Amino acid sequence: MRTIKFRGKDIETGKFIFGDLETIPKEDIMVIHQYNDDGSYKSQAKVDQNTVGQFTGWKPRKCGELYDGDIIGFDDWAFNERQRKKMKHHIGLIEWSDEYGKYLIKCKDGFYEGNDVADPQLMGNKFDNEELLKEIGL
C-alpha cells in the first residue's frame, strides 16, 4: 500500500515536521498531525502552507524518504556489454506533474523519472537552498 504523508515547516520553530495534513480553509491554515510508532496521537502544529510537500513514495537507500520540493543530485550512466560509464551529473527538483500524473525530477536539460535514477543524493530542498535552484535554472 502507498504511504501518504506530508511535511511542512512549523510556523513557530521553522523546522520540518512530518505527518498527516489537515487544511482549514475558513482559517486559511494547514496543520500537520504527528503520531507515535504505535499509532497513538503525538502532537500537531500549524505549518507554513508554502513549505508543504507530499511524500513521493521514493525511498532510496542512501537518502531516505524524498518529498515534493526536494533537490537531488544523480548521475547519468551509459552502458555497454563490458562497462558502465558516467556521462553527466544532474541536479534536479522533485515536482508533481499534472500532465503525467506522477512525480518527476526537473533538471536543466529536461525531466527524469524517479525509477530511472540510480543512487540519488539528497542535496536540500527548494525552501532552504535557493542557490541550488539557480544551478537548475529555476
Side-chain angles (χ1 to χ4, degrees), residues 10-40:
D10 184 319
I11 289 175
E12 291 182 18
T13 67
K15 295 181 180 181
F16 275 113
I17 60 169
F18 302 80
D20 294 340
L21 181 68
E22 176 186 11
T23 59
I24 305 170
K26 286 184 179 181
E27 297 178 33
D28 196 30
I29 62 170
M30 291 184 169
V31 175
I32 289 186
H33 299 273
Q34 295 181 301
Y35 297 88
N36 295 309
D37 291 338
D38 65 2
S40 62

Side-chain angles (χ1 to χ4, degrees), residues 10 23 27 40 45 52 61 67 76 99 101 105 112 118 138:
D10 184 319
T23 59
E27 297 178 33
S40 62
V52 171
R61 180 174 31 100
Y67 286 78
D76 244 353
E99 182 179 351
I105 304 161
Y112 293 81
L138 299 176

Side-chain angles (χ1 to χ4, degrees), residues 92-106:
L93 173 67
I94 299 173
E95 290 185 324
W96 177 258
S97 168
D98 285 332
E99 182 179 351
Y100 294 101
K102 58 184 168 184
Y103 286 100
L104 296 175
I105 304 161
K106 183 178 185 178

